[in-house]
Amino acid sequence: MSDPNPPRRAQPPVLDTLGKLCSDGKQLADYLWQVPKDDAARERLVAILDKIAAEGTKQGRKEMPRICAELKTATKASPSPQQVDLLVNGFDRLMGLWQAAKSGLL
């Protein structure tokens, strides 16, 4: 028997400014796994974190600027696998918060 109400496929929310920044930051943090000593990439990451913090504040997201401050501290640490892992996980947290906010959970 076929189900008269097939389950809906979960689709990720459409990227807005904050979602695009989080996605770009995650990609850049992933790139640092390959080239951990790329200072230009780290500077771009700090700029992205500043924009995420500003946009998060504008949208009333109190946790995003706090996470961004932690990640900015991590970008200034000496390059290491642990430091890059911290950045990647931080951007995963930011993406999760953004997706939860777009889906109406927050």
Side-chain angles (χ1 to χ4, degrees):
M1 297 179 79
S2 72
D3 187 4
N5 296 320
R8 293 175 37 181
R9 284 190 297 153
Q11 295 182 2
V14 176
L15 291 178
D16 60 2
T17 304
L18 189 55
K20 178 81 169 109
L21 288 168
C22 290
S23 176
D24 291 347
K26 172 128 175 62
Q27 289 175 357
L28 198 52
D30 285 336
Y31 165 77
L32 287 176
W33 272 114
Q34 299 168 7
V35 189
K37 295 183 180 183
D38 188 342
D39 291 332
R42 290 177 179 280
E43 289 175 19
R44 286 192 312 248
L45 209 52
V46 169
I48 288 172
L49 288 167
D50 286 337
K51 291 176 185 176
I52 290 172
E55 189 68 27
T57 301
K58 193 170 25 172
Q59 292 184 13
R61 305 271 163 234
K62 296 177 184 174
E63 65 284 347
M64 285 187 150
R66 181 182 51 77
I67 294 170
C68 288
E70 293 171 7
L71 294 178
K72 282 173 58 174
T73 302
T75 60
K76 296 174 185 166
S78 61
S80 69
Q82 295 84 4
Q83 183 252 7
V84 174
D85 191 44
L86 182 70
L87 290 171
V88 170
N89 289 336
F91 276 101
D92 284 340
R93 288 171 47 203
L94 289 171
M95 282 297 292
L97 288 170
W98 172 78
Q99 287 176 336
K102 290 306 278 184
S103 68
L105 294 175
L106 294 177

